[in-house]
Amino acid sequence: MSSNSPLQAVRGMNDILPEEARLWLWFEDTVRDWLEGYGYRNIRMPLLEHTALFKRAIGEVTDIVEKEMYSFEDSLNGDQLTLRPEGTASCVRAALQHSLLYNAPQRLYYSGAMFRHERPQKGRYRQFHQIGVEALGFAGPDIDAEQIVMCARLWRKLGLRDITLQLNTLGDIAARQRHRAKLIAYFEQYSSVLDEDATRRLYTNPLRILDSKNPAMQELIMAAPNLMEELEEDALKHFETVQKILQRHEVAFEINPRLVRGLDYYNRTVFEWITTRLGAQGTVCAGGRFDGLIEQISGKSAPATGFAMGIERLLALLQEDGMNTPPAPLDVYVVHQGEMADGMASLVAERLRDSGLRVLLHCNGGSFKSQMKKADASNACAAVILGDNEVSTELATLKPLRGGEQMQVAFDDLPAKINELIKQG
Ligand code: ATP
Ligand code: MG
């Protein structure tokens, strides 16, 4: 950026202005209630981590590590650092560093900004926000299913329809390795049909070829060896139990054998919640089991499962549904004019706040008329008016802003009267 160009936010990083921030606050409150309803506890990690953490946790041959990370060298001490592209690695790092898993499993959640250097477009930003939910130290299919059932509850709570669940299992490592060998052998036979991406991935990450959106390759992909056939007894049973629990809770799903997820650390259950209403950026929530990750980071093994949702995408859906930003909450607008009244106004406002009311004290002067215009536009339920008259009689003028006659009220009685007006709506 040249020195005289206007100052703008970094490309792909958004300001969330007050009007929209109201929707975020409402969403965050709703999500917090929902998570507490399942016994999850909040954890907060730094935005910066050592680059090595993500390389080790996410895997070197992934989109994130290969091309999406904001990494730099700390100019003061030479440390290699990265702005977190996702939260699972940091969350697991924190849990291990502070021995949270020492003798109890943990249900944890976090919320905050993530950073990926992607091409910005609707629903895809370079700074975006996730709610991440992790159950660390749990092995059984019950927790996988509970996490999916709980997502379904959140969509209901938010009033979101049209989100469908895709489910798959990646089995365990041995099965994946057998499948991988078969995939390589299969695709090698058709090397002339493979596109550039697939050719590049054939030996590094053949599973990802199944993910290809290229129409010319779909026939080949449909006929590729199926991982399901390699699954061992335990993994199959795990997957069947997850499905059974979902059916018991009437959570509909579609099994998608090509659902492989972008990150290397997943095994067994993987899932995505998808909408068709956000174009190509249709995945609003994604997750699954990652039994190998904790060992990969620490050497000690513990099973785990989790998911993350993209807040921008969920809010875009809510806005498409015509969800209005809830108005800024305000009870009273205090209008005042005259030297004595001006002095008294802030004292009255503080007294009203003492009683729990939300009060906007007019500042910057102006005529009664212009102040009343602002009060009317403010969303407050009542205006308290203070002028020379009110000061000398020690009675404030209380004007209901949603209909009704104005009245004279002793200062001490204001909170009770205003609460009556609020109750009347
Ligand atoms: P995609 O396939 O859309 O790139 P992903 O597999 O990279 O998604 P995850 O790492 O699973 O995404 O992240 C979980 C969720 O976070 C996604 O389902 C999505 O809702 C959201 N998300 C991921 N990347 C972005 C981004 N760049 N901008 C906005 N939201 C994002
Ligand atoms: Mg991505």
Side-chain angles (χ1 to χ4, degrees):
M1 188 186 279
S2 71
S3 59
N4 59 0
S5 59
L7 288 173
Q8 299 256 318
V10 174
R11 186 165 134 79
M13 309 207 175
N14 300 314
D15 299 307
I16 298 156
L17 302 180
E19 192 79 357
E20 206 193 345
R22 294 282 324 145
L23 187 61
W24 282 70
L25 287 171
W26 171 83
F27 175 82
E28 284 156 1
D29 282 349
T30 309
V31 164
R32 190 178 317 147
D33 276 354
W34 161 71
L35 286 162
E36 286 172 358
Y38 285 85
Y40 279 82
R41 297 189 303 154
N42 187 224
I43 182 168
R44 297 168 188 237
M45 300 84 65
L47 299 186
L48 272 181
E49 296 276 359
H50 291 286
T51 304
L53 173 69
F54 300 115
K55 287 197 174 162
R56 207 190 298 176
I58 300 173
E60 303 258 6
V61 195
T62 54
D63 286 350
I64 292 184
V65 172
E66 277 178 345
K67 52 191 184 203
E68 294 176 357
M69 295 205 302
Y70 282 93
S71 298
F72 58 93
E73 184 182 293
D74 183 328
S75 61
L76 298 179
N77 62 11
D79 283 356
Q80 295 297 324
L81 303 177
T82 294
L83 276 167
R84 64 181 187 193
E86 54 104 54
T88 302
S90 313
C91 180
V92 167
R93 197 256 323 126
L96 292 168
Q97 182 175 336
H98 303 286
S99 308
L100 295 190
L101 300 179
Y102 189 57
N103 49 24
Q106 295 282 336
R107 285 176 161 94
L108 302 172
Y109 78 90
Y110 49 83
S111 153
M114 306 294 160
F115 302 85
R116 296 185 194 176
H117 200 283
E118 304 196 68
R119 193 169 70 77
Q121 52 198 294
K122 188 172 180 249
R124 190 175 296 286
Y125 309 104
R126 290 179 175 175
Q127 176 178 316
F128 63 100
H129 298 77
Q130 286 183 341
I131 309 272
V133 179
E134 321 283 4
L136 308 179
F138 294 87
D142 49 354
I143 194 97
D144 305 28
E146 184 186 81
Q147 290 196 332
I148 294 172
V149 168
M150 76 191 263
C151 289
R153 174 181 297 278
L154 180 63
W155 314 146
R156 286 198 303 279
K157 244 174 130 117
L158 294 171
L160 289 174
R161 298 154 287 111
D162 304 333
I163 302 185
T164 57
L165 172 62
Q166 302 221 331
L167 191 64
N168 192 22
T169 179
L170 299 179
D172 294 315
I173 290 183
R176 278 235 290 286
Q177 274 165 357
R178 283 197 300 276
H179 181 233
R180 184 192 150 93
K182 285 194 178 169
L183 275 181
I184 293 175
Y186 170 79
F187 284 123
E188 272 176 340
Q189 289 176 275
Y190 300 99
S191 56
S192 60
V193 190
L194 297 183
D195 63 12
E196 201 187 305
D197 270 347
T199 308
R200 194 161 41 81
R201 286 173 179 159
L202 180 56
Y203 299 103
T204 53
N205 206 338
L207 196 62
R208 206 72 68 69
I209 299 177
L210 303 180
D211 227 1
S212 165
K213 307 259 176 326
N214 184 353
M217 301 221 337
Q218 290 313 305
E219 204 180 327
L220 192 63
I221 288 171
M222 293 306 278
N226 194 339
L227 173 64
M228 217 56 95
E229 281 149 29
E230 304 296 332
L231 291 193
E232 325 232 349
E233 184 85 25
D234 277 359
L236 257 181
K237 200 149 168 265
H238 187 104
F239 192 44
E240 278 160 11
T241 309
V242 170
Q243 294 175 58
K244 241 184 243 149
I245 300 174
L246 295 182
Q247 279 152 357
R248 196 180 301 144
H249 287 271
E250 296 177 23
V251 174
F253 57 87
E254 185 192 329
I255 293 181
N256 176 359
R258 276 167 301 286
L259 182 66
V260 296
R261 306 284 305 113
L263 311 182
D264 273 358
Y265 53 57
Y266 287 102
N267 69 315
R268 296 204 174 181
T269 317
V270 287
F271 63 89
E272 289 193 0
W273 291 92
I274 296 175
T275 169
T276 53
R277 292 195 294 152
L278 295 175
Q281 275 58 250
T283 304
V284 293
C285 175
R289 179 159 282 284
F290 45 94
D291 292 338
L293 179 65
I294 294 177
E295 187 165 14
Q296 213 165 297
I297 293 181
S298 73
K300 278 182 241 145
S301 99
T305 173
F307 61 91
M309 50 196 161
I311 302 184
E312 282 83 356
R313 292 186 192 176
L314 284 168
L315 293 186
L317 266 187
L318 284 169
Q319 281 164 330
E320 276 218 349
D321 281 345
M323 169 90 188
N324 284 321
T325 306
L330 186 66
D331 301 313
V332 188
Y333 195 103
V334 178
V335 163
H336 53 96
Q337 198 182 49
E339 205 174 313
M340 299 276 278
D342 293 345
M344 187 171 280
S346 64
L347 293 173
V348 169
E350 283 298 311
R351 288 270 293 281
L352 294 175
R353 293 185 189 111
D354 286 343
S355 70
L357 292 166
R358 292 167 291 199
V359 182
L360 199 151
L361 172 66
H362 182 86
C363 289
N364 273 355
S367 66
F368 267 129
K369 199 172 158 210
S370 74
Q371 292 189 37
M372 278 312 296
K373 262 196 190 156
K374 296 209 164 75
D376 279 323
S378 74
N379 243 321
C381 175
V384 166
I385 303 168
L386 301 171
D388 292 341
N389 216 5
E390 282 78 6
V391 172
S392 64
T393 58
E394 294 188 13
L395 292 173
T397 300
L398 180 63
K399 184 171 192 288
L401 294 173
R402 297 173 194 163
E405 290 299 307
Q406 68 178 43
M407 55 195 120
Q408 307 302 123
V409 180
F411 293 151
D412 283 346
D413 297 338
L414 276 172
K417 277 280 171 216
I418 292 167
N419 277 313
E420 264 174 47
L421 291 176
I422 289 170
K423 273 202 206 101
Q424 288 162 18

